Amino acid sequence: MLHSPRLSQLALTVALVMGAPALLAAEPAARVTPSATEATPQGPLPLDELRTFAEVMDRIKAAYVEPVDDKTLLENAIKGMLSNLDPHSAYLGPEDFQELQESTSGEFGGLGIEVGMEDNFIKVVSPIDDTPASRAGIQAGDLIVKINGQPTRGQSMTEAVDKMRGKIGDKITLTLIRNGGNPFDVTLARAVIQVKSVKSQLMESDYGYIRITQFQVKTGEEVGKALAKLRKDNGKKLRGIVLDLRNNPGGVLQSAVEVADHFLTKGLIVYTKGRIPNSELRFSADPADASEHVPLVVLINGGSASASEIVAGALQDQKRAVLMGTDSFGKGSVQTVLPLNNDRALKLTTALYFTPNGRSIQAQGIVPDIEVRQAKLTAEADTENFKEADLQGHLGNGNGGADRPSGGKRKERPQDDDFQLSQALSLLKGLNITKGA
């Protein structure tokens, strides 16, 4: 029999959880959002359901084979509430909350895997570059079916992540399934993951390459610096840029806006819609153009999610870039982190975002303008024969041009073993030829 004092205490507990004040905090895999204000309660508390909840809690405490304390039962109940909303909402304990905040700054402990849920299995959204996961060959789309021999089916994403994180240097074995094949084991050592958000280089003269691995707090600033460095290294205005968002799981919303703004001079970038006050926001470009409006190709694939899709969608809708690759992941929701007492928090889906043309990416993704699937490139053996310029006593060029003999090993370039990137570069060159640049 439920006593009224206990019901009042339980109702107060639920009310405190549901009405916690909101505060913006960055979120690494499912990604971040604008701030939100306190939501207003919707109707009276469901007393019958609360009585049932309290009765179940009493029965568990009285009859379960081992003693269970109130704190454990209540925390498990909260986790259940969040896990059944959507794959990206979760209850964050003190360690999870701290890890979330650390990951936003670009440094956290773990294996370097961004994960999601698929058919109750943990799915790799993307491995982070230069981490134990990427070095071990883990790929986007791999299913993690076991962690240290324990099945992951039925576990929440938070539980699985907790098991994959731990003491730096300790080894962990993941059992993976790739493309429906047979399970295989990969053993990795945990490490401090220091994510380098932006990498850039000249692919060849006049053509720059920028890769964003994750959208962190300073990513927008880093892209601005990368554009300036590419221009300086080239010695003149670039003739084309490839922006690589493949296997980028997303990140901070504001950073995505800043990155898109580097390539746009006007118009809408993204807008959000939700139920709570201040969740309906619009972000527009300013007139500055760090990219000097040079031709732009954006690479995406199935590992491009959330903030990556915001950038790709904005540049596609505004006709600023040609999107190349394969369909993106399709995460079009926004998460707000709502701090609770005792260093805990809720990561709650509070809005959907839309591209400038009003497209919702949720569960659909972005379709590239030109579909190019990844392929393995194998260089042919160098069987180049002598040229005229190699022959002794050959005539000089009648126009005074320099000889071009055979031989000479070409410096390795990022596009040499990346089919999609080589296609993007070819497209940029074609665009410049046709416009007479």
Side-chain angles (χ1 to χ4, degrees):
M1 188 72 180
L2 181 66
H3 299 293
S4 58
R6 182 164 185 180
L7 175 60
S8 299
Q9 183 178 5
L10 181 59
L12 178 60
T13 301
V14 175
L16 287 172
V17 170
M18 295 180 66
L23 182 68
L24 171 65
E27 188 268 281
R31 296 319 185 222
V32 304
T33 70
S35 59
T37 58
E38 185 173 347
T40 55
Q42 300 294 318
L45 289 170
L47 297 182
D48 288 343
E49 286 76 10
L50 289 174
R51 289 190 182 96
T52 301
F53 177 86
E55 184 178 357
V56 170
M57 187 170 170
D58 278 339
R59 295 291 179 89
I60 293 174
K61 290 182 64 179
Y64 187 63
V65 64
E66 294 178 351
V68 187
D69 58 63
D70 288 343
K71 179 182 176 182
T72 299
L73 290 174
L74 286 171
E75 288 208 347
N76 287 339
I78 294 170
K79 291 177 183 177
M81 274 194 287
L82 274 295
S83 65
N84 284 293
L85 294 176
D86 67 85
H88 307 293
S89 295
Y91 170 73
L92 305 177
E95 291 183 2
D96 298 322
F97 190 19
Q98 182 179 0
E99 287 170 356
L100 183 150
Q101 293 169 312
E102 290 174 352
S103 66
T104 307
S105 65
E107 181 175 317
F108 58 94
L111 303 176
I113 308 174
E114 298 290 350
V115 295
M117 294 291 293
E118 182 175 286
D119 298 329
N120 290 324
F121 283 112
I122 306 300
K123 181 180 180 179
V124 177
V125 174
S126 66
I128 299 172
D129 289 353
D130 300 327
T131 64
S134 64
R135 288 191 288 269
I138 294 177
Q139 299 179 9
D142 288 349
L143 295 179
I144 303 175
V145 295
K146 291 182 181 179
I147 300 174
N148 282 336
Q150 298 298 314
T152 60
R153 188 175 179 86
Q155 292 184 19
S156 70
M157 189 164 61
T158 301
E159 290 171 335
V161 169
D162 285 343
K163 290 183 178 180
M164 286 187 283
R165 291 181 176 179
K167 186 178 179 181
I168 296 171
D170 284 358
K171 292 187 177 181
I172 182 172
T173 299
L174 304 181
T175 303
L176 307 175
I177 292 179
R178 180 173 298 163
N179 298 325
N182 294 324
F184 61 95
D185 290 342
V186 176
T187 300
L188 312 89
R190 296 184 180 96
V192 174
I193 308 302
Q194 294 180 327
V195 181
K196 296 179 181 178
S197 175
V198 177
K199 300 178 181 179
S200 64
Q201 67 180 95
L202 287 173
M203 294 180 286
E204 56 184 60
S205 179
D206 296 337
Y207 294 95
Y209 172 72
I210 297 176
R211 169 158 173 76
I212 305 176
T213 58
Q214 191 178 18
F215 286 87
Q216 300 167 3
V217 173
K218 295 184 178 181
T219 298
E221 177 185 342
E222 291 175 6
V223 169
K225 292 179 179 178
L227 287 167
K229 186 176 187 301
L230 287 172
R231 185 168 54 248
K232 180 180 178 182
D233 291 345
N234 195 52
K236 57 183 177 179
K237 181 179 177 179
L238 295 168
R239 300 180 70 188
I241 297 171
V242 176
L243 178 62
D244 191 352
L245 300 178
R246 291 173 298 175
N247 294 328
N248 182 322
V252 180
L253 173 61
Q254 184 62 38
S255 293
V257 171
E258 292 172 3
V259 168
D261 196 9
H262 282 310
F263 299 95
L264 296 170
T265 57
K266 62 181 180 179
L268 190 62
I269 294 174
V270 66
Y271 66 95
T272 64
K273 286 185 178 180
R275 292 175 58 227
I276 61 177
N278 296 336
S279 64
E280 297 193 4
L281 301 174
R282 298 173 69 88
F283 299 90
S284 297
D286 64 43
D289 184 7
S291 69
E292 299 181 307
H293 208 73
V294 302
L296 178 66
V297 173
V298 178
L299 289 176
I300 60 172
N301 66 3
S304 306
S306 194
S308 297
E309 295 170 296
I310 288 175
V311 174
L315 296 176
Q316 186 180 52
D317 282 5
Q318 298 287 10
K319 307 297 183 184
R320 174 62 182 90
V322 176
L323 267 58
M324 181 179 285
T326 55
D327 292 2
S328 64
F329 183 75
K331 182 189 175 294
S333 61
V334 175
Q335 281 67 47
T336 300
V337 176
L338 308 170
L340 305 172
N341 294 326
N342 301 321
D343 297 323
R344 291 166 169 78
L346 299 182
K347 185 181 70 178
L348 192 65
T349 299
T350 54
L352 296 176
Y353 66 78
F354 298 83
T355 70
N357 288 348
R359 292 184 293 163
S360 172
I361 296 165
Q362 178 61 26
Q364 291 187 354
I366 290 180
V367 179
D369 301 304
I370 302 174
E371 182 181 39
V372 177
R373 296 191 173 275
Q374 188 62 286
K376 186 175 182 180
L377 292 177
T378 54
E380 292 185 2
D382 189 2
T383 57
E384 187 177 17
N385 295 320
F386 280 163
K387 294 182 177 179
E388 173 73 12
D390 295 312
L391 299 176
Q392 186 175 2
H394 67 272
L395 297 176
N397 183 271
N399 292 326
D403 290 350
R404 297 179 63 183
S406 61
K409 188 175 181 181
R410 186 173 62 182
K411 182 181 179 181
E412 289 188 4
R413 306 168 303 175
Q415 66 268 29
D416 290 339
D417 57 359
D418 186 333
F419 179 68
Q420 290 174 322
L421 181 56
S422 68
Q423 292 298 296
L425 177 59
S426 295
L427 176 59
L428 286 173
K429 290 181 177 179
L431 291 173
N432 278 308
I433 292 172
T434 56
K435 75 174 185 178

